[in-house]
Amino acid sequence: MTEIVRLPVESWDWPCSAQDQEAAITALESGNVVLLPQLDFPLRDNERDFYFLSTGAEVKGKNISLSPGDDKVRGSSADVAELGVLRGMMVRFSNMSQALVQHLLPSYTATLERGRTCFCPLEIAGRPSSLREDDTRLHIDSSASSPTRGKRILQLVSNVNPVGQAQTWRLGEPFEQVARRYQSSLQGQPWGSSQVLEMLGITKGQRSAYDHNMLQLHDRMKADSAYQASAEQRIVALKPGGSWLVYTDQVSHAAMSGRLAFEQTFYLPVAGMREPAKSPLRVLERLMGRKLT
Ligand code: CO
């Protein structure tokens, strides 16, 4: 069962003790969630107005995102002044997230890459979507367009909801159990397909056998309604004013409800982990008996 490990981190540059650092890395690499119930993302007054007034009408997709090295906030049709506020808020969240990881997971600093920052103003529950895109169904993260070729996907989520609404997630069974369950249904990658996908611009970089298998696991889980209902699972809540860290490529999760959260994604090469053998890449390679990248 996926555990929740609570740590008393109260600010983004908290001087984390060696004991807390140890607890964090052990929990995360073992496929557990690190809950930081006091780690609040502070808002400025003009940003707070933006939240309260936000009806979601200014959101074009599922959420608003900012990629590292990109000046442009994507997914919002807010006017120029509002976009400036949004961008400032997201850049600040991204920088604070980076600082937090440096303090809590110092051994990751050398190899950690910063990914996208997302702001999610829309209510999760009841949002129409295709089965494959429905994140209220248990899944592990794998992107059809951005292959990681084994790199870990670490997410930091902060709930900034001003009216007390929690983010609720379901957490499912451990990664190896998921992989074993669907292993016999995983199909090989058609020869040359990774080159074609890249050439057509469908993927950024080549999709490895690892990505191909992870994507199938993601799709099999979501499409399996019996599994969704019967899999070992628990409901967890992230209250406003708190944050959590989780390897979303490893922990089966489903975001069930909540609005107004920030998410920062990081990528970590398997070699940057303390225990690479626990990575989905190494677990899959062990189960399948071959290299996948
Ligand atoms: Co997910």
Side-chain angles (χ1 to χ4, degrees):
M1 183 62 105
T2 305
E3 308 278 336
I4 308 289
V5 176
R6 299 166 73 100
L7 293 177
V9 171
E10 292 174 29
S11 68
W12 299 82
D13 56 357
W14 192 248
C16 301
S17 66
Q19 200 183 345
D20 287 349
Q21 292 171 347
E22 171 67 25
I25 197 166
T26 304
L28 290 170
E29 295 196 0
S30 306
N32 295 317
V33 174
V34 170
L35 176 64
L36 310 166
Q38 291 126 289
L39 186 63
D40 184 26
F41 178 57
L43 300 173
R44 294 179 177 157
D45 284 345
N46 60 338
E47 296 169 344
R48 209 172 286 276
D49 293 345
F50 186 85
Y51 289 132
F52 277 113
L53 297 174
S54 171
T55 57
E58 68 283 10
V59 186
K60 286 187 283 192
K62 264 207 281 203
N63 45 41
I64 297 171
S65 67
L66 180 67
S67 296
D70 194 349
D71 268 352
K72 200 167 174 287
V73 169
R74 303 193 183 266
S76 172
S77 52
D79 66 30
V80 176
E82 285 177 337
L83 275 179
V85 176
L86 254 178
R87 188 173 186 283
M89 192 163 76
M90 293 173 77
V91 167
R92 207 168 78 252
F93 181 73
S94 181
N95 290 340
M96 288 173 123
S97 300
Q98 175 85 17
L100 184 267
V101 172
Q102 281 167 355
H103 286 86
L104 188 59
L105 300 159
S107 68
Y108 283 180
T109 310
T111 53
L112 195 76
E113 296 165 23
R114 219 190 297 197
R116 248 172 23 146
T117 311
C118 284
F119 171 53
C120 323
L122 296 184
E123 172 56 51
I124 294 167
R127 209 155 51 185
S129 77
S130 67
L131 205 63
R132 197 185 199 190
E133 293 190 341
D134 185 357
D135 288 341
T136 68
R137 297 176 80 88
L138 285 167
H139 65 283
I140 44 127
D141 283 356
S142 175
S143 164
S145 58
S146 307
T148 68
R149 290 181 292 279
K151 277 183 195 158
R152 307 302 318 277
I153 304 174
L154 180 64
Q155 259 192 12
L156 175 69
V157 182
S158 282
N159 184 356
V160 294
N161 190 289
V163 291
Q165 192 188 354
Q167 289 267 318
T168 52
W169 282 23
R170 287 188 289 151
L171 299 176
E173 60 187 10
F175 180 79
E176 182 160 344
Q177 222 165 301
V178 176
R180 285 182 184 275
R181 186 183 293 276
Y182 294 106
Q183 190 180 357
S184 63
S185 74
L186 300 180
Q187 289 159 1
Q189 205 172 12
W191 190 84
S193 68
S194 62
Q195 285 87 346
V196 172
L197 289 172
E198 186 186 22
M199 241 158 50
L200 294 176
I202 294 170
T203 58
K204 293 182 210 92
Q206 284 192 13
R207 186 183 287 174
S208 65
Y210 168 75
D211 296 291
H212 181 70
N213 284 299
M214 290 292 278
L215 210 48
Q216 290 183 81
L217 281 181
H218 167 275
D219 293 355
R220 298 278 188 282
M221 292 172 82
K222 282 190 175 173
D224 190 341
S225 294
Y227 175 72
Q228 293 291 327
S230 66
E232 169 194 330
Q233 55 192 279
R234 66 189 292 191
I235 294 174
V236 293
L238 176 62
K239 293 190 182 138
S243 307
W244 66 33
L245 272 162
V246 54
Y247 270 124
T248 53
D249 55 350
Q250 177 178 12
V251 175
S252 320
H253 62 282
M256 303 309 293
S257 67
R259 64 182 288 260
L260 297 169
F262 281 91
E263 290 172 10
Q264 177 63 47
T265 300
F266 296 97
Y267 298 99
L268 185 81
V270 166
M273 294 174 67
R274 191 176 60 182
E275 293 186 81
K278 290 185 168 170
S279 65
L281 173 64
R282 297 289 177 247
V283 170
L284 282 180
E285 286 183 335
R286 173 162 53 76
L287 293 179
M288 301 176 96
R290 62 189 179 93
K291 294 284 284 175
L292 296 173
T293 55

